[in-house]
């Protein structure tokens, strides 16, 4: 599967590069990364959404995966070493772990004020980690542009605030679901996550990762 995705994404990237007549090495690398992400998603998404339909949690999975994915686009984070690991572990963390956590907290019967405090704490921690580590790139996909890094950091923080704002407007179950998706993504940009998944930072946060 991994080889198939690599071949298809390489073909798509080369087609785009040739059509646009791109020669800049950095832009070529970005296009190849985007093509791989796109082709990979075509294979991974059915593994996430078909079970969601079967178990009647399609709406929740859409919400949690959307929040996770949007924030991940700007904040970055770790990747599993294999496509299978990414498809299984990634889909579980992005789509189903937020649901299970929201269900668990909902069953505890916590007071609304306690749930609001939990969401505020998650928001505060997320902003702090984004300020320290976002955007978190990879050794194979470094971010060189200082301006782009600054923009992505700001957008990541804004995305967290928007998610928090939405969580205040919906019921406690969906509010917790949204904020758990946020914190799971944000935790993936930390040095501990990179160490656990044996990833290395690229051009961003090298000193944080102890590489420079």
């Amino acid at each position: 599967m991994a080889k198939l995705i690599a071949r298809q994404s390489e073909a798509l990237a080369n087609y785009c590069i040739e059509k646009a007549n791109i020669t800049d090495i950095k832009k070529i690398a970005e296009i190849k990364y985007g093509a791989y992400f796109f082709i990979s998603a075509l294979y991974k998404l059915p593994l996430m959404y078909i079970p969601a339909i079967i178990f009647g949690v399609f709406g929740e999975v859409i919400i949690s995966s959307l929040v996770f994915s949007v924030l991940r686009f700007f904040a970055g984070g770790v990747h599993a070493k294999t496509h299978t690991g990414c498809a299984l572990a990634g889909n579980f963390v992005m789509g189903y772990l937020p649901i299970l956590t929201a269900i668990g907290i909902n069953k505890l019967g916590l007071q609304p004020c306690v749930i609001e405090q939990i969401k505020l704490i998650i928001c505060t921690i997320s902003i702090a980690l984004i300020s320290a580590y976002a955007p978190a790139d990879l050794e194979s996909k470094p971010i060189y542009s200082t301006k782009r890094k600054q923009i992505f950091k700001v957008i990541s923080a804004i995305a967290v605030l928007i998610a928090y704002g939405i969580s205040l407007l919906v019921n406690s179950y969906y509010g917790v679901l949204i904020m758990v998706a946020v914190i799971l993504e944000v935790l993936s940009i930390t040095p501990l996550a990179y160490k656990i998944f044996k990833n290395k930072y690229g051009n961003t946060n090298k000193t944080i990762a102890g590489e420079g």
Side-chain angles (χ1 to χ4, degrees), residues 69-165:
S69 299
V70 170
L71 185 54
R72 186 177 187 79
F73 181 83
F74 297 104
V78 297
H79 282 262
K81 290 293 185 179
T82 65
H83 177 75
T84 301
C86 182
L88 297 178
N91 284 354
F92 175 74
V93 172
M94 180 169 61
Y96 294 96
L97 188 53
I99 295 174
L100 295 175
T101 305
I103 291 174
I105 291 178
N106 190 54
K107 286 185 177 296
L108 290 176
L110 299 176
Q111 293 293 324
C113 62
V114 175
I115 294 178
E116 294 308 311
Q117 289 175 355
I118 291 173
K119 291 190 292 186
L120 178 59
I121 290 171
I122 290 176
C123 179
T124 303
I125 293 174
S126 298
I127 293 294
L129 291 176
I130 283 173
S131 298
Y133 304 120
D137 59 3
L138 296 168
E139 187 178 39
S140 59
K141 305 172 186 69
I143 300 176
Y144 293 102
S145 170
T146 300
K147 182 178 180 180
R148 185 181 180 188
K149 284 186 283 188
Q150 292 173 343
I151 292 173
F152 275 24
K153 184 186 292 289
V154 171
I155 294 177
S156 298
I158 292 173
V160 170
L161 292 175
I162 291 174
Y164 175 63

Side-chain angles (χ1 to χ4, degrees), residues 14 42-43 121 123 135 191 203:
N14 289 337
L42 292 180
Y43 287 95
I121 290 171
C123 179
N203 191 55

